[in-house]
Amino acid sequence: MIYKKSDAKAAAKDQFRGVWAAITTPFTPDDKLDEAGLRRNMRHYTDVLHVDGIFCAGTMGEFWALTKEERKRVTEIVVEESRGKCKVIAHTGHHSPNETIDLTRHAEAVGADFAIVINPYYPAAGEQQIYEWFETVASRVDIGLWMFDTPFSGVGLSAELTARIAVLENICGLKCSRPIEHYVKVKNLCGGRIVISHPAESESLKLMRDHGQRVHMSSASPYLYQVAGWLPMRDYTEAALAGRFAEAERISGELDPIRPVHEKWLRDPWHQNEIIPIQYLKAWTELLGMAGGHVRAPLPQVTVEERQTMRAELEEAGLLARLPGGKQARAA
């Protein structure tokens, strides 16, 4: 954090651009935080994929299954490994405002650039109470805060409430995992006060072209769709930021064979059964050579048959053939 609290909004507009990755939290076979694996993954994201930012300890990172000490350790490692390479936004949300404040102050102290907090999801609360929750947290920390409005939380922020929260001094961004119509309404109501980003890669280019989005913040797509020497997501984003939309469309089209595989494994489970499919996310990363490991309860583990089917589909889509040497990583 290299800005004053009062400058958080301006800092966010300056620093959020390009492609940001929402990362997993790898575990060892004995259910410990895989610190070595996390460091190896971080070097892959930064040195190989050249992401512009990292979102850690969020939904993709199974934050609900981590102890507070593990959440803090993840942030520490990510900040250490990203230093001088990319920005970091740490997820510090908790239904307890005091826990949220503690985690947020820690993220600020160890060097995270920004923090992001999921909607307070328990107990049930009205809009005024949710506003007061954000007001309490924001007033007691200095770091720039993003709202994280996701259906995974079971609680949605109305466009009007979002715009009201956006007025708070150090509220500087929104990760809006909602329908595009809602995104547009929020953007219109906020009037450029904060940075707003939608995490769907499939919508990213359209949002850049039609609505001026300048950052993909954030999803797993940057490390699921790209490998060493082949960075189409980064390339089409940079082309679009430079106003070369025809070139961006052409590059984006290279991902068309992979997108249906992503839809099947990482979107359909939620839309059809409301299961957050981190087990499939980790299996995919392992096929690309990253550290993953199991998921923690109550999420289900990936089966041998599912892993084999995913491998075959990624081979057919041509992604695994793009790995260095043309050989896929051996799944754990």
Side-chain angles (χ1 to χ4, degrees):
M1 178 182 169
I2 53 173
Y3 52 87
K4 298 177 182 178
K5 181 174 182 175
S6 58
D7 295 330
K9 285 177 166 59
K13 292 174 184 177
D14 179 61
Q15 297 182 41
F16 280 94
R17 71 171 306 280
V19 174
W20 290 51
I23 68 172
T24 62
T25 302
F27 299 125
T28 62
D30 60 350
D31 200 34
K32 299 293 192 300
L33 175 63
D34 184 356
E35 294 194 10
L38 178 56
R39 290 186 185 278
R40 181 161 57 86
N41 287 354
M42 278 296 300
R43 292 165 192 172
H44 178 69
Y45 307 141
T46 59
D47 301 348
V48 177
L49 303 182
H50 306 294
V51 299
D52 296 289
I54 294 289
F55 175 164
C56 65
T59 302
M60 302 300 102
E62 297 175 76
F63 78 92
W64 62 85
L66 303 178
T67 65
K68 183 163 71 172
E69 292 73 24
E70 287 174 327
R71 293 181 70 176
K72 289 182 175 181
R73 186 59 182 149
V74 166
T75 298
E76 291 166 2
I77 291 171
V78 169
V79 168
E80 289 171 10
E81 292 292 336
S82 67
R83 192 165 287 123
K85 299 178 181 179
C86 72
K87 301 293 182 180
V88 173
I89 186 167
H91 177 243
T92 55
H94 191 286
H95 47 260
S96 161
N98 289 343
E99 289 278 43
T100 301
I101 291 163
D102 180 60
L103 287 163
T104 305
R105 287 175 173 171
H106 170 266
E108 179 182 338
V110 300
D113 299 286
F114 297 88
I116 182 168
V117 294
I118 199 167
N119 305 341
Y121 49 87
Y122 192 85
E127 291 203 347
Q128 179 59 28
Q129 287 70 46
I130 293 175
Y131 174 82
E132 291 173 359
W133 185 94
F134 275 99
E135 184 179 42
T136 297
V137 172
S139 69
R140 293 171 61 184
V141 301
D142 293 330
I143 197 169
L145 291 175
W146 276 52
M147 293 173 274
F148 183 15
D149 190 7
T150 171
F152 292 142
S153 74
V155 177
L157 302 180
S158 71
E160 293 76 13
L161 176 58
T162 302
R164 186 180 174 200
I165 295 170
V167 175
L168 296 171
E169 182 179 30
N170 53 328
I171 297 292
C172 60
L174 168 68
K175 180 175 179 177
C176 185
S177 306
R178 303 281 297 282
I180 299 302
E181 296 76 16
H182 182 84
Y183 167 100
V184 173
K185 184 177 181 180
V186 170
K187 190 173 179 66
N188 290 337
L189 285 175
C190 287
R193 190 173 290 115
I194 61 174
V195 177
I196 301 175
S197 184
H198 196 286
E201 183 280 330
S202 59
E203 302 286 351
S204 184
L205 189 52
K206 178 181 178 181
L207 292 172
M208 294 177 74
R209 183 188 62 228
D210 298 346
H211 300 286
Q213 180 167 290
R214 295 184 55 78
V215 62
H216 174 82
M217 211 305 287
S218 52
S219 71
S221 298
Y223 54 89
L224 295 182
Y225 287 4
Q226 304 185 118
V227 297
W230 189 63
L231 306 177
M233 191 174 175
R234 176 176 176 79
D235 290 345
Y236 84 63
T237 299
E238 289 300 320
L241 286 172
R244 303 192 306 272
F245 288 104
E247 178 186 347
E249 289 278 6
R250 178 184 58 77
I251 299 170
S252 175
E254 297 177 17
L255 290 168
D256 285 346
I258 303 170
R259 289 181 175 120
V261 185
H262 180 275
E263 190 78 13
K264 172 183 174 179
W265 293 101
L266 294 172
R267 289 183 61 83
D268 288 353
W270 171 256
H271 291 301
Q272 295 174 7
N273 300 305
E274 294 194 345
I275 294 174
I276 304 176
I278 309 302
Q279 75 275 24
Y280 301 140
L281 170 57
K282 285 187 166 182
W284 187 318
T285 64
E286 288 177 338
L287 288 170
L288 296 181
M290 287 170 267
H294 60 279
V295 292
R296 286 180 174 170
L299 295 181
Q301 304 300 324
V302 64
T303 67
V304 172
E305 292 77 13
E306 288 171 330
R307 194 184 295 270
Q308 291 172 342
T309 300
M310 179 185 288
R311 179 189 296 115
E313 292 175 355
L314 290 176
E315 286 177 339
E316 184 177 357
L319 180 62
L320 299 185
R322 293 184 179 275
L323 289 170
K327 296 181 180 180
Q328 68 193 55
R330 183 178 299 277

